[in-house]
Amino acid sequence: MRWTITRTAPAETSGDLLVFPVFQKDDKPLLKSLLELAKGGTHKPAPGSSPMVDLKKVITTGGFSAKAESIFPVFCSRTAAGWLLLAGMGPTGELTLETIRKVAGKVATQAKAMKAARVLVHLPGPQEMLFDDRTFARCWVEGAELALSPTGVLKTGKKKDSYPRNWKFLARESIPKDLQIGVHEGEAYTAGCLLARELVNMPPNYLTPNEFASRARKMARAEGLSCTVLGVPQLKKLGMGGILAVGQGSSNPPRLIVLEHKVSGKGGASSKGKASAKGKVPSIALVGKGVTFDSGGISLKPGAGMDEMKADMGGAAAVLGAAQIVARLGLPVNLQVIIPAAENMPDGGAVKPADVITMANGKTVEVLNTDAEGRLILADALWYAGRRKPDYIIDAATLTGACVVALGSHFAGLMGTGGELIETLRQAGGETFERVWHLPLVKEHKEIMEGTWSDLQNIGGGREGGAMTAAAFLWNFVSEETAWAHLDIAGPAYSNKASAICPKGGTGFGARLLARAVQILVS
Ligand code: BES
Ligand code: MN
Ligand code: ZN
């Protein structure tokens, strides 16, 4: 989609569809500015076109009440675009960022159904909306683009759909910088989320660990990040027994993918905010679980629903998407992204229950269940992330079914040691609507993971508190001095149901959340 800003009068601007957000009061639509626009329009209807209709009557008798997320197309020959699409925003005081995204998503879907290629968007005025233009534009762009997230790319003989390609915001005054920033942010956030969705949706025979590395490299090259990929010999040299053990049962060998975004000269020490106040650019490491397929290994999963385990690289997709957003926004941060990628399969060489392996930090782990593989690859990656002593480490992983049982699919589990970091992720979750719920993590959870024949074992005694015991396992691989947060995204990473801004499949959950958290941490 192409997003531009114009300051030509709404009624006179040509396009296929003019979107008009309408707010609500006492269950009724506030139509004043719309009717003024229609009345004031000097656009001359084509000769012989239908006579003027009573716009207000059509709208109110047509049942449009401006309820949030309702939409109502109506023809108005007084505007150059002809078709108006009224978008219900609900009452002014109840508008949320997510409502803006959902409204934009519904509008985009309707515009597509109407085969409108050029869509104009009237901006709500400050008297009707409490958010500024930057915020509105950012969320609108996100909602519209995410709603039309591409699907079915592997279907053959499918005609390319037509969809609304050109969008124009109709600015009230001279083109405001604010609006431009909002559009730019919206585009960056969307692209990161779409990258994550695309990767999650890819079939596991296409997206092997090596292919994931190629995709990461391609993104890094395009965005000016550095990218290093470690193969089996290098993993052996580093003693990464966790990643090697998980990958050893598959014919597609594991990889460790490392991307870096460094602050350029001017964005660095001279940048405003917390970072420069401390005289230092913050360093953040993002670690994402990249199990490109999780069969469970020798502790094989049941067949039903096993296909969904292609999404077990959702954490990796999220951190990669976040890195793309951070790069596009040029945030003043030293960011390292670390992705352990492996395929968990059961062949003759696979790791077995009771095998004891040695991790990169030297600790020994008894593998009691080969299906608790995510923590094994993350442990080595967390150790790798800690070598540079970053200020913050955040990992994202589709780690436990227990977290899905506890929180369902609308919230990710959030655990960790950094108080400020936890708070930041909560704030970012509220703003991006990629919501998180803080779960406890204490030394008693750690004790459950102590081993009988080794330092640690990879599962706890029973089924209790599975999200926390998994996090406690990871805790052993993070240094005490580093603020660390762990996101268990097993629930929200994948959905079998479409929503207003997401088709079914990979949701891209985490990319926007993590990028926003980084943005907050460096501002
Ligand atoms: N990838 C799964 C977790 C998962 C479950 C993700 C459902 C998405 C949806 C993970 O590797 C796993 O198998 N976890 C086990 C851990 C258990 C063996 C301690 C689980 O949750 O059952
Ligand atoms: Mn598993
Ligand atoms: Zn897994």
Side-chain angles (χ1 to χ4, degrees), residues 430-442:
E431 290 175 9
T432 55
F433 215 64
E434 295 190 333
R435 292 170 293 176
V436 299
W437 196 259
H438 189 201
L439 298 171
L441 185 63
V442 293

Side-chain angles (χ1 to χ4, degrees), residues 40-61:
T42 55
H43 176 78
K44 295 267 181 317
S49 72
S50 63
M52 273 295 292
V53 290
D54 183 341
L55 202 53
K56 188 169 178 185
K57 195 166 176 195
V58 169
I59 293 167
T60 47
T61 57

Side-chain angles (χ1 to χ4, degrees), residues 244-269:
L244 289 164
V246 174
Q248 78 191 39
S250 166
S251 49
N252 297 308
R255 296 282 184 266
L256 185 76
I257 306 158
V258 184
L259 292 93
E260 251 174 282
H261 159 87
K262 281 221 179 91
V263 175
S264 58
K266 64 176 170 36

Side-chain angles (χ1 to χ4, degrees), residues 289 291 294 296 301 308-309 312 344 369-375 398-404 458-460 462 466 488-491:
K289 171 179 172 181
V291 173
D294 182 12
K301 284 184 182 296
E308 289 189 12
M309 284 302 123
D312 211 17
N344 189 22
N369 188 322
T370 66
D371 198 11
E373 85 297 340
R375 59 198 76 183
T398 48
L399 203 59
T400 67
C403 199
V404 189
N458 78 331
I459 56 170
D488 192 331
I489 63 168

Side-chain angles (χ1 to χ4, degrees), residues 179-504:
L179 200 51
Q180 279 169 331
I181 296 173
V183 168
H184 178 61
E185 284 180 330
E187 289 182 305
Y189 272 89
T190 309
C193 181
L194 291 180
L195 171 64
R197 283 183 186 176
E198 183 192 349
L199 291 168
V200 172
N201 288 335
M202 277 178 79
N205 61 326
Y206 284 63
L207 192 71
T208 58
N210 193 48
E211 178 61 20
F212 198 111
S214 304
R215 297 278 175 144
R217 210 183 268 124
K218 191 169 139 215
M219 186 282 277
R221 213 166 272 157
E223 308 296 337
L225 304 171
S226 74
C227 178
T228 315
V229 179
L230 310 186
V232 170
Q234 288 146 305
L235 296 174
K236 281 189 177 152
K237 217 175 269 168
L238 288 165
M240 296 199 153
I243 300 176
L244 289 164
V246 174
Q248 78 191 39
S250 166
S251 49
N252 297 308
R255 296 282 184 266
L256 185 76
I257 306 158
V258 184
L259 292 93
E260 251 174 282
H261 159 87
K262 281 221 179 91
V263 175
S264 58
K266 64 176 170 36
S270 65
S271 71
K272 287 195 217 88
K274 223 184 307 182
S276 60
K278 283 189 215 147
K280 185 174 158 276
V281 173
S283 53
I284 304 177
L286 301 179
V287 179
K289 171 179 172 181
V291 173
T292 57
F293 186 71
D294 182 12
S295 71
I298 296 295
S299 314
L300 197 64
K301 284 184 182 296
M306 204 201 270
D307 57 301
E308 289 189 12
M309 284 302 123
K310 72 171 184 179
D312 211 17
M313 31 53 71
V319 297
L320 198 64
Q324 180 175 302
I325 300 169
V326 167
R328 287 211 181 165
L329 297 180
L331 297 182
V333 59
N334 286 323
L335 184 78
Q336 200 175 33
V337 167
I338 298 143
I339 296 170
E343 193 180 66
N344 189 22
M345 294 289 280
D347 77 3
V351 68
K352 306 171 288 297
D355 278 1
V356 172
I357 59 175
T358 303
M359 314 296 280
N361 75 343
K363 290 197 180 167
T364 53
V365 175
E366 185 180 10
V367 180
L368 286 175
N369 188 322
T370 66
D371 198 11
E373 85 297 340
R375 59 198 76 183
L376 299 175
I377 66 168
L378 286 168
D380 283 340
L382 284 167
W383 168 81
Y384 190 92
R387 291 205 304 179
R388 291 258 186 97
K389 303 204 182 315
D391 300 316
Y392 308 98
I393 299 181
I394 311 172
D395 76 75
T398 48
L399 203 59
T400 67
C403 199
V404 189
V405 173
L407 300 178
S409 56
H410 294 293
F411 284 80
L414 168 62
M415 288 144 275
T417 58
E420 178 207 5
L421 188 56
I422 300 281
E423 220 18 76
T424 301
L425 282 161
R426 285 228 292 239
Q427 185 192 332
E431 290 175 9
T432 55
F433 215 64
E434 295 190 333
R435 292 170 293 176
V436 299
W437 196 259
H438 189 201
L439 298 171
L441 185 63
V442 293
K443 69 173 192 318
E444 286 82 351
H445 294 127
K446 235 178 176 174
E447 283 159 17
I448 299 173
M449 304 307 285
E450 285 170 9
T452 311
W453 309 102
S454 53
D455 300 332
L456 298 166
Q457 53 190 36
N458 78 331
I459 56 170
R463 301 167 58 86
E464 291 170 21
M468 277 100 63
T469 50
F473 180 89
L474 300 179
W475 196 358
N476 287 285
F477 300 88
V478 181
S479 123
E480 300 251 325
E481 299 103 72
T482 311
W484 163 64
H486 159 64
L487 288 164
D488 192 331
I489 63 168
Y494 194 84
S495 176
N496 272 317
K497 237 178 74 201
S499 78
I501 59 168
C502 189
K504 67 179 174 185

